[in-house]
Amino acid sequence: MNIAEQIKQLRHQLREYNHHYYVLDNPLVPDAEYDRLFRQLLKLEQEHPEYLSADSPTQRVGDKPLSHFESVRHEIPMLSLANAMDNEEARAFDRRLRQKLEPADDSNQFNIEYNVEPKLDGLAISLLYEEGVLVRAATRGDGETGEDVTQNVRTIDSIPLRLLSEKPPVILEVRGEVFMPKSGFEQLNNLQLQQGKKPFANPRNAAAGSLRQLDPAVTASRPLDMFCYAIGRVEGLELPMTQSDRLALLKSIGLKVCPEIDVVLGIDACLAYKDNIGGRRNSLPYEIDGVVYKVNSITQQEILGFVSRAPRWAIAHKFPAQEEMTVLEAIDVQVGRTGALTPVARLKPVFVGGVTVNNASLHNAAEIKRLDVRVGDTVIVHRAGDVIPKVTGVVLERRPQSAVPYDFPENCPVCGSDVVIDEGGVIARCCGGLFCDAQRKQSIKHFVSRNAMDIDGLGDKVVELLVDTGLIHDVGDIYRLQYDDLLKLDRMAEKSASKLIGAINHSKETTLARFLYALGIPQVGETTARILANHFTSLDAIQAASSEELQLLEDVGPVVANDVQVFFRQTHNQEVIDKLINAGVHWPAIERAPEQHSELQGKVFVITGTLSEMSRNDAKSALLALGAKVSGSVSAKTDIVVVGENPGSKADKATSLGLEIIDEAQLKQILKLATDNV
Ligand code: I6G
């Protein structure tokens, strides 16, 4: 084979591998094989520069930074879409179309076929292919004129430099959305922070900022992707007559289209599609801000035409905004069980992410400093899915003159004790310990909580009343409470009081693991408490254990061992434990559980969302019994994430880390297999 043929074959092979890797998400060969062929091609091209060609897979990153972006006129304007902000507006859109398509049909009962797809939160781009080769990429700009970002767009691996077609059209202009996947956005922002640079506010800004780089090498380092959704100019190609077939055509020639696209009949099915995608929004690997409904038949599209600068045959049905502006009215500081001070933003109520938000997290003192957020500022509030709303930025143009920088308190707002900043410089802590009412209340709330002593009816409000009225001072006092004491509490009826006394008595019968967890020893969560209980089998043995003995256990390092020892050394803690045991708190003797060597031994699980057939606690116990670990947070160390209904951000994180994700049915199967094989 001569050199030209070798080069041609290598390029063909590499394009194929690239397409499978970046577009189909289904790699054909290991990375090492791709790299080997790539280097082989690079070498041949260096030795024979006469064969160099701009559409070669080696030519993604151009060498010269630009001084500016040239303007590009779109021969066919890049229009925008009309929006529907709720179901009623979407139904009105459908009614209008049916009326226009069948004016004589009074009953208007027929259904329109729609092509439906998510609306990516990125930026619209036009790609121009001549004879199958990418010759120009441009931003939408004002729809008439955009900017030439060809050099930058060429660096996006999922965009083919040459279409995968033996007989490509003379001209094909394709339009779509360039976006940054959530995982890439997170990595990029971590890098920005590490390098002392400002993080991007959201993936859309990150994508736009990355495409507007004059140096294509910078864009090449950014994780961008593109989904194509429409065709602009065409010459030398007969296009199919439905939107869905056109998308299938784009796919067949190597362009990436969104895998969530569907064809449905009628507006009800469009709304069901929107609800379905909306429910999975947090676990999709990219940000979306709505869905787009397009009449599928091109003939019908042509009948419907355009209104002002938008096609009449399409609409973007937007999700409620996840970011809104509002005024920060105050910053309150809350004190947690371990004394950590958490600032909370009190906001002028604002509708965001589908709910009215009054409060948002400000994380810690360092975050307030980083944002330089001040009382009176107009702030940006972000609420995605079920996660706690947070303040993500300040609108400086709206800062009132009177706004002064926020001084984090140097004394605990509840007990007045000194506030110290921990070694990491991030967490501010009240030094008051059990002298601090807030810490005492929190530790009591923890003690009575479901996974600890599980005292039903002793909710947060009642705990606060009990402490404020002096009826209890620490958790040991709970078991001294009398029915008559409870009746003194505001709004405590006889029935509730007697039920609560029953629950308190019932809780005396517990397990060593629950008791240990309930004590609130710093760093001792449920899993560590269970490991300590199973290993040492008695409270006395745990209290007597040396640091070395404690550290023999999985999950117990020098810090945890030290916290355990320091806790039991405190006289006031011993007094509370004695009070509890004297009041009758007890647990069955533990027979050391025989080591079970199942295939789940040591595997780290995270459970998120609601399971329908078993409780999360039951799932956890079953996993622990088989030697698995169950963690509360997703990290690179997690092996498997179990995702139930309405999962939180843990599911997103698992997706972005590429972790194994299973549902409840798969968990049950795994548990059964592991149990059968023990
Ligand atoms: O801005 C847009 C986002 C998504 C679009 C669009 C789209 O389809 C999924 N389609 C058209 C036709 C236009 N803008 C003009």
Side-chain angles (χ1 to χ4, degrees):
M1 211 187 310
N2 65 28
I3 299 292
E5 276 164 354
Q6 275 184 54
I7 288 181
K8 186 169 170 207
Q9 200 184 47
L10 278 169
R11 286 179 183 159
H12 181 77
Q13 188 71 278
L14 285 166
R15 277 187 198 113
E16 197 63 31
Y17 290 163
N18 223 48
H19 177 64
H20 274 81
Y21 190 94
Y22 290 107
V23 180
L24 304 180
D25 214 2
N26 177 23
L28 283 184
V29 288
D31 291 358
E33 171 64 2
Y34 182 91
D35 291 345
R36 195 181 63 76
L37 295 184
F38 190 90
R39 282 195 304 274
Q40 213 174 324
L41 175 61
L42 208 56
K43 184 159 174 280
L44 284 176
E45 287 177 344
Q46 277 161 357
E47 287 167 358
H48 303 277
E50 66 275 22
Y51 294 126
L52 255 183
S53 156
D55 65 341
S56 169
T58 60
Q59 302 301 304
R60 283 208 173 259
V61 187
D63 48 5
K64 280 193 291 300
L66 300 174
S67 60
H68 65 284
F69 295 110
E70 297 289 342
S71 288
V72 170
R73 236 191 119 63
H74 301 295
E75 272 192 37
I76 301 177
M78 287 183 80
L79 304 179
S80 51
L81 290 182
N83 289 328
M85 303 311 288
D86 55 31
N87 287 2
E88 200 29 62
E89 288 183 14
R91 285 187 190 283
F93 155 79
D94 174 66
R95 262 196 308 275
R96 276 195 306 277
L97 299 201
R98 281 186 289 129
Q99 182 71 47
K100 278 225 169 295
L101 288 173
E102 296 288 344
D105 181 350
D106 284 344
S107 63
N108 265 315
Q109 288 305 310
F110 77 105
N111 279 320
I112 297 174
E113 186 175 79
Y114 288 102
N115 183 89
V116 289
E117 60 184 286
K119 185 165 187 311
L120 271 285
D121 201 8
L123 66 159
I125 291 289
S126 139
L127 305 175
L128 184 65
Y129 287 91
E130 285 177 6
E131 308 285 355
V133 176
L134 177 67
V135 294
R136 198 203 66 197
T139 61
R140 175 176 180 279
D142 62 6
E144 301 280 344
T145 311
E147 283 180 327
D148 187 328
V149 286
T150 313
Q151 279 224 75
N152 288 345
V153 163
R154 288 173 61 88
T155 68
I156 302 176
D157 291 299
S158 61
I159 297 179
L161 298 179
R162 171 183 280 276
L163 297 175
L164 298 184
S165 164
E166 290 298 316
K167 275 217 238 127
V170 181
I171 299 274
L172 180 67
E173 189 210 350
V174 182
R175 293 164 177 189
E177 203 88 349
V178 166
F179 61 95
M180 188 173 286
K182 290 177 190 169
S183 57
F185 170 69
E186 222 166 88
Q187 280 165 15
L188 174 63
N189 265 358
N190 286 339
L191 197 69
Q192 291 281 109
L193 287 171
Q194 270 170 31
Q195 296 174 345
K197 297 185 191 154
K198 213 174 146 218
F200 291 97
N202 53 47
R204 205 204 104 79
N205 288 8
S210 301
L211 264 197
R212 290 214 81 260
Q213 294 290 330
L214 290 168
D215 183 355
V218 176
T219 313
S221 73
R222 302 283 172 82
L224 295 172
D225 205 341
M226 179 173 182
F227 286 149
C228 299
Y229 56 63
I231 294 175
R233 286 173 61 204
V234 208
E235 274 176 45
L237 177 69
E238 193 74 36
L239 290 178
M241 284 309 280
T242 61
Q243 174 72 15
S244 47
D245 285 346
R246 289 185 175 186
L247 294 176
L249 169 93
L250 295 182
K251 202 166 157 185
S252 74
I253 54 177
L255 291 154
K256 196 164 174 175
V257 297
C258 179
E260 300 288 346
I261 290 174
D262 207 351
V263 175
V264 302
L265 198 59
I267 191 67
D268 284 339
C270 288
L271 300 181
Y273 173 83
K274 180 214 51 161
D275 288 343
N276 177 291
I277 290 277
R280 294 187 291 119
R281 182 178 185 185
N282 284 343
S283 47
L284 290 176
Y286 37 78
E287 288 287 352
I288 60 173
D289 58 2
V291 288
V292 178
Y293 312 140
K294 287 181 183 169
V295 171
N296 200 31
S297 151
I298 304 296
T299 312
Q300 287 182 336
Q301 286 188 7
E302 285 165 357
I303 296 170
L304 291 164
F306 298 83
V307 249
S308 59
R309 310 200 30 77
R312 199 179 260 120
W313 40 264
I315 202 154
H317 189 163
K318 301 293 268 296
F319 295 137
Q322 293 192 311
E323 262 185 6
E324 280 296 348
M325 293 193 301
T326 189
V327 174
L328 174 68
E329 294 183 329
I331 298 177
D332 282 352
V333 174
Q334 291 178 341
V335 187
R337 174 164 61 91
T338 59
L341 302 190
T342 311
V344 179
R346 304 289 180 208
L347 305 166
K348 187 163 173 227
V350 59
F351 192 73
V352 52
V355 297
T356 301
V357 169
N358 299 286
N359 307 310
S361 170
L362 276 166
H363 295 298
N364 51 45
E367 180 74 351
I368 294 185
K369 213 174 205 155
R370 187 180 75 76
L371 295 170
D372 181 22
V373 62
R374 306 177 184 189
V375 173
D377 269 342
T378 294
V379 292
I380 296 163
V381 181
H382 186 100
R383 181 187 181 272
D386 292 336
V387 294
I388 298 168
K390 54 184 180 192
V391 172
T392 55
V394 175
V395 186
L396 286 176
E397 302 84 69
R398 299 214 184 166
R399 170 164 286 168
Q401 290 226 312
S402 56
V404 289
Y406 179 75
D407 284 330
F408 207 79
E410 289 175 5
N411 293 95
C412 172
V414 176
C415 72
S417 301
D418 288 348
V419 168
V420 291
I421 306 286
D422 73 5
E423 315 83 65
V426 178
I427 311 264
R429 231 177 259 286
C430 156
C431 293
L434 290 183
F435 169 72
C436 175
D437 263 4
Q439 289 188 52
R440 279 191 300 119
K441 283 179 184 169
Q442 295 298 342
S443 68
I444 296 169
K445 287 176 193 170
H446 170 77
F447 183 84
V448 304
S449 65
R450 179 123 72 91
N451 295 351
M453 300 302 281
D454 192 17
I455 307 183
D456 213 19
L458 205 39
D460 289 0
K461 282 268 165 337
V462 182
V463 169
E464 284 178 24
L465 278 175
L466 286 168
V467 174
D468 290 341
T469 50
L471 280 169
I472 62 174
H473 188 73
D474 59 41
V475 297
D477 299 332
I478 294 173
Y479 294 96
R480 295 181 176 171
L481 282 171
Q482 304 291 322
Y483 172 76
D484 290 343
D485 293 334
L486 295 181
L487 284 185
K488 288 180 204 151
L489 296 180
D490 209 17
R491 293 210 226 145
M492 178 68 79
E494 289 174 5
K495 199 165 164 200
S496 311
S498 87
K499 258 178 133 175
L500 181 47
I501 293 291
I504 291 173
N505 282 331
H506 183 68
S507 77
K508 288 181 187 168
E509 188 175 331
T510 185
T511 65
L512 177 56
R514 272 180 179 271
F515 183 74
L516 279 176
Y517 172 62
L519 290 177
I521 306 166
Q523 317 266 3
V524 177
E526 282 174 89
T527 305
T528 309
R530 205 184 297 256
I531 290 170
L532 284 168
N534 279 341
H535 181 85
F536 289 102
T537 71
S538 79
L539 184 60
D540 286 344
I542 296 170
Q543 301 200 66
S546 68
S547 177
E548 291 69 29
E549 283 168 330
L550 288 167
Q551 287 185 56
L552 286 178
L553 297 186
E554 234 180 305
D555 278 3
V556 179
V559 177
V560 180
N562 184 55
D563 279 337
V564 172
Q565 292 197 307
V566 169
F567 181 89
F568 287 117
R569 238 185 268 139
Q570 307 305 307
T571 323
H572 59 85
N573 287 339
Q574 286 300 339
E575 284 168 5
V576 169
I577 292 171
D578 288 347
K579 248 201 240 178
L580 291 166
I581 291 173
N582 290 338
V585 173
H586 65 282
W587 47 86
I590 297 178
E591 305 224 348
R592 195 183 299 245
E595 293 273 308
Q596 297 224 43
H597 281 286
S598 79
E599 55 244 51
L600 301 185
Q601 191 72 38
K603 285 241 185 307
V604 182
F605 282 73
V606 171
I607 307 172
T608 177
T610 311
L611 303 182
S612 57
E613 288 180 31
M614 57 173 124
S615 72
R616 289 237 296 250
N617 270 347
D618 288 348
K620 191 168 166 180
S621 304
L623 286 166
L624 292 172
L626 287 160
K629 297 179 191 171
V630 180
S631 167
S633 58
V634 173
S635 74
K637 290 191 190 141
T638 310
D639 290 302
I640 298 179
V641 180
V642 183
V643 176
E645 293 277 316
N646 301 319
S649 58
K650 287 175 197 166
D652 298 347
K653 187 153 184 200
T655 310
S656 66
L657 289 173
L659 301 176
E660 183 176 351
I661 298 180
I662 60 170
D663 60 17
E664 184 176 353
Q666 289 167 303
L667 171 68
K668 284 174 82 175
Q669 205 170 16
I670 287 177
L671 287 172
K672 183 168 181 333
L673 283 175
T675 312
D676 289 350
N677 291 338
V678 167

